[in-house]
Amino acid sequence: MNAPMEPGVVRRVKSARVTEPATATWSNCLVIGDEIVMSGMTAHPASRENKLGAYEQTLVVLGKVRDLVEAAGGSVGSIYKLVIYVKDIGDKDEVGRARRDFFRAPYPCSTLVEVSGLVFPELVVEIDAFARLGVDLQRSIQEVVS
């Protein structure tokens, strides 16, 4: 994990495996304090090169999220929340299968919503992921039942 930063410092994080065009008007990943903040991730450009279904697109997207979190100094266990946008709610089972294949229990919190469209027509999934340095769901979960 990275050393603590001075207050107010924001780090812009890049990964060679996650395309961020020079002309982009967004940042793929920023670290603000311990919070890893990411733009919504899609399977583009892999989705243009191959016909990918919801399962495959979800795995590509989760791989990008993992790459950015690791570049920021975290791990897959640092991801604590996902907001998943799908063009067809019927894809929920394939998205869920990809999540089960990618993560281990306890899984990140999650929201799944259907949207009318995404930025490119071949995209069927977009994911917002929330992560925090110093958190590892695999090691620090404490189950509370009331």
Side-chain angles (χ1 to χ4, degrees):
M1 185 158 79
N2 295 339
M5 295 180 8
E6 79 180 65
V9 173
V10 176
R11 284 190 298 133
R12 184 172 180 197
V13 176
K14 293 186 178 186
S15 168
R17 295 185 296 256
V18 182
T19 305
E20 187 173 330
T23 58
T25 57
W26 69 90
S27 297
N28 279 340
C29 183
L30 301 174
V31 177
I32 304 169
D34 287 342
E35 193 71 18
I36 302 170
V37 183
M38 288 172 268
S39 293
M41 292 287 130
T42 68
H44 184 78
S47 59
R48 285 251 164 105
E49 299 162 4
N50 305 294
K51 176 75 171 135
L52 302 176
Y55 174 81
E56 295 83 8
Q57 284 194 27
T58 303
L59 287 177
V60 168
V61 174
L62 292 173
K64 286 179 164 185
V65 168
R66 178 197 56 226
D67 291 343
L68 288 169
V69 168
E70 288 177 352
S75 69
V76 170
S78 303
I79 303 165
Y80 65 84
K81 168 88 173 159
L82 301 172
V83 178
I84 303 170
Y85 306 92
V86 294
K87 281 179 35 178
D88 181 352
I89 201 69
D91 288 335
K92 67 180 176 52
D93 292 337
E94 289 300 291
V95 170
R97 181 168 68 101
R99 292 181 59 226
R100 280 189 304 279
D101 289 348
F102 190 84
F103 293 104
R104 292 188 342 230
Y107 301 101
C109 297
S110 184
T111 300
L112 177 76
V113 294
E114 182 180 49
V115 296
S116 62
L118 297 169
V119 68
F120 297 116
E122 76 277 4
L123 295 174
V124 298
V125 176
E126 182 167 337
I127 298 177
D128 283 336
F130 301 83
R132 185 178 301 265
L133 294 171
V135 168
D136 187 342
L137 290 182
Q138 302 307 310
R139 294 185 328 171
S140 60
I141 196 77
Q142 182 179 27
E143 195 164 316
V144 178
V145 179
S146 63

